[in-house]
Amino acid sequence: MAAKLVSILTIVLLLLSCGERAQPYEWDLPQGFPAPDIPENNPMTKEKVALGRALFFARALSFNNTTACASCHLPERAFSEPKARSVGASGVTLKRNASALVNVAYAGTLTWSHNGLRHIEQQLMIPLFADTPIEMGVTNFEDVILARFNTADYKSLTRAAFGDSVLNFDRIVKSLASFVRSLVSFNSAFDDYAYRQIDEALSPSQLRGMELFFSEKMECFHCHGGFNFTQSSKHAFQTLTLKAFHNTGLYNEDGNGAYPIDDQGLIDVTLEGSDMGHFRAPTLRNVALTSPYMHDGSIASLAGVIEFYAAGGRGKGINNPWKSQFVKGFDMTKQERDDLINFLHGLTDESFIKNKNHHPPIPAPSTIIMSHN
Ligand code: HEC
Ligand code: HEC
């Protein structure tokens, strides 16, 4: 009895002491969906997501006050951008197209082509700190940048998220990662059809397109499978690591399968010859909003992408010896092409784009604007 009283008291005391702590995050997922895997050292809280959201839209986070995460990841484009390849804060063009940020919380690996980047916290070190090429150019400007966030607004956001008002890069990275994880999208017409059993959510053309997508003729689902339309997934229901990287036959510079030297995909990380031209099959959720396409933005439209697969690759890439056996080319009628495009439009989630939590906070928390020298 006494022991029980003590334990009840302990619980009451614990609850009281938690009163001022951050609140656990509530995921907005369709019924029965697995919550994403969250690293133990960075639990999701509403307050961290709020701080991360403010930081995501803050240009003050780049060395010269020009570039926010949102400069390359635009909310209305499902957090991708219309440029084929992104341009960093110092004006240098990067080698890749900005990834859409959609259900990244479920991604098994991050970026277009890296098998070792598994946590968003790790990946964010690249845009923040990389210097070849510079994306935001934080390196050597850490103190200058932190001083810009020394305002009442950011102190209060930081205190709510971490218990005291000291902002540092560890906390910046944790908050940004939490915000990125909060960007979940499960309200497309496809979701209504597949997971909410609303039969009329997809049009007859979209239903035909869906059948083609999941057919052995077109093979799309082999690489863009699962509820996230990518084989690169990690969550409570999926313990198997599926093959996430493929050569789709975009290039063949030398007749032996070489991709352009500035970006050859997974081989640049693993140094394995057979990884030449291997890139991650990205999620196709909201893909109608994320043109141009592919790792280098080299295909302008969805029609272009589908014609590329129908041809079994592009130009000499069709005979790339490292090309996946699933990119074998197929005949299609114009109607079939349109049906497949319409199905891909059925993966657009308007509520994801309109969600005010995915846009800059109003009013924007103030920063101290200073020149960088
Ligand atoms: C200069 C443009 C630019 C800026 C600024 C930028 N990104 Fe990116 N982002 C990219 C590009 C390009 C990629 C693809 C990188 C690759 O594949 O190597 C990417 C990839 C990502 C990914 C991986 C997504 C996935 O599905 O694998 C995440 C997450 C991300 N960015 C978040 C951020 C955050 C948060 C910030 C701010 C700290 C940021 N980015 C700043 C251009 C940018
Ligand atoms: C062999 C695996 C594989 C098959 C089969 C496949 N894809 Fe892909 N898909 C990929 C990979 C890998 C990429 C990225 C390639 C790159 O950037 O080099 C990609 C990219 C895309 C993109 C561009 C996405 C973006 O954000 O830029 C679209 C759209 C797409 N695929 C649709 C389809 C459709 C539709 C089919 C069926 C006709 C299909 N894919 C079949 C692996 C595959």
Side-chain angles (χ1 to χ4, degrees):
M1 189 64 200
K4 200 169 178 186
L5 192 65
V6 171
S7 66
I8 289 172
L9 270 177
T10 326
I11 291 170
V12 171
L13 282 175
L14 268 176
L15 285 175
L16 283 175
S17 68
C18 289
E20 288 182 11
R21 294 251 190 89
Q23 304 165 43
Y25 187 78
E26 279 166 36
W27 295 97
D28 181 17
L29 306 173
Q31 220 183 354
F33 266 65
D37 258 0
I38 305 298
E40 269 173 25
N41 67 356
N42 193 17
M44 285 289 278
T45 64
K46 281 187 200 156
E47 290 76 5
K48 252 189 271 175
V49 171
L51 172 58
R53 173 187 174 200
L55 290 165
F56 189 87
F57 292 97
R59 293 178 196 276
L61 202 50
S62 61
F63 81 99
N64 56 359
N65 265 315
T66 59
T67 309
C69 306
S71 304
C72 304
H73 298 287
L74 283 62
E76 62 276 20
R77 288 251 170 184
F79 296 94
S80 68
E81 66 168 332
K83 287 193 186 102
R85 298 193 294 163
S86 295
V87 178
S90 56
V92 175
T93 301
L94 311 182
K95 59 185 182 182
R96 291 187 181 156
N97 176 254
S99 305
L101 304 180
V102 177
N103 295 355
V104 182
Y106 291 98
T109 63
L110 295 158
T111 74
W112 281 101
S113 196
H114 202 302
N115 59 358
L117 285 172
R118 294 184 181 271
H119 291 294
I120 303 172
E121 288 80 353
Q122 278 174 300
Q123 190 269 325
L124 292 189
M125 305 308 269
I126 304 171
L128 287 170
F129 293 103
D131 46 17
T132 42
I134 283 178
E135 292 189 42
M136 299 173 77
V138 173
T139 300
N140 295 330
F141 287 86
E142 289 86 345
D143 294 341
V144 180
I145 290 172
L146 288 175
R148 292 181 196 148
F149 290 94
N150 193 6
T151 62
D153 289 347
Y154 273 96
K155 281 184 175 165
S156 130
L157 285 163
T158 307
R159 191 177 304 108
F162 292 101
D164 66 62
S165 64
V166 182
L167 193 58
N168 56 35
F169 274 96
D170 180 52
R171 289 176 170 184
I172 288 176
V173 166
K174 285 185 166 141
S175 307
L176 283 169
S178 300
F179 174 69
V180 171
R181 288 196 176 95
S182 77
L183 303 174
V184 296
S185 171
F186 288 112
N187 289 317
S188 65
F190 169 80
D191 294 305
D192 287 342
Y193 176 84
Y195 304 120
R196 298 186 187 90
Q197 272 87 46
I198 303 173
D199 287 350
E200 60 281 9
L202 294 180
S203 70
S205 165
Q206 289 176 317
L207 289 172
R208 291 193 299 271
M210 181 170 76
E211 214 159 285
L212 290 168
F213 187 90
F214 290 101
S215 69
E216 300 291 336
K217 168 172 157 177
M218 294 205 180
E219 307 280 17
C220 318
F221 72 104
H222 272 292
C223 307
H224 300 282
F227 66 76
N228 238 1
F229 296 88
T230 167
Q231 241 63 324
S232 167
S233 282
K234 175 191 68 181
H235 51 79
F237 298 178
Q238 182 162 309
T239 43
L240 277 178
T241 310
L242 299 169
K243 191 170 159 35
F245 303 96
H246 312 270
N247 178 317
T248 56
L250 276 171
Y251 296 99
N252 186 357
E253 301 284 282
D254 59 355
N256 295 319
Y259 267 43
I261 193 70
D262 66 329
D263 195 2
Q264 301 192 318
L266 194 58
I267 186 176
D268 291 339
V269 177
T270 63
L271 308 178
E272 283 285 333
S274 57
D275 288 334
M276 172 60 80
H278 278 57
F279 289 86
R280 181 186 68 171
T283 180
L284 298 182
R285 286 183 172 275
N286 294 307
V287 74
L289 303 172
T290 70
S291 66
Y293 299 105
M294 305 314 207
H295 66 274
D296 54 359
S298 63
I299 302 185
S301 65
L302 283 178
V305 172
I306 291 168
E307 272 151 21
F308 156 81
Y309 283 115
R314 180 168 64 191
K316 286 195 289 178
I318 295 171
N319 298 316
N320 192 308
W322 306 111
K323 189 181 81 170
S324 164
Q325 55 168 338
F326 292 119
V327 182
K328 54 190 189 321
F330 47 81
D331 293 325
M332 65 176 173
T333 62
K334 185 176 174 303
Q335 183 67 53
E336 285 177 320
R337 191 195 73 166
D338 292 348
D339 290 343
L340 188 54
I341 294 177
N342 289 338
F343 170 66
L344 294 175
H345 278 265
L347 303 178
T348 301
D349 176 352
E350 288 295 333
S351 73
F352 180 78
I353 303 308
K354 293 195 181 122
N355 187 337
K356 66 175 178 25
N357 295 325
H358 297 175
H359 289 264
I362 301 172
S366 66
T367 54
I368 300 166
I369 299 297
M370 296 183 287
S371 81
H372 64 278
N373 44 20

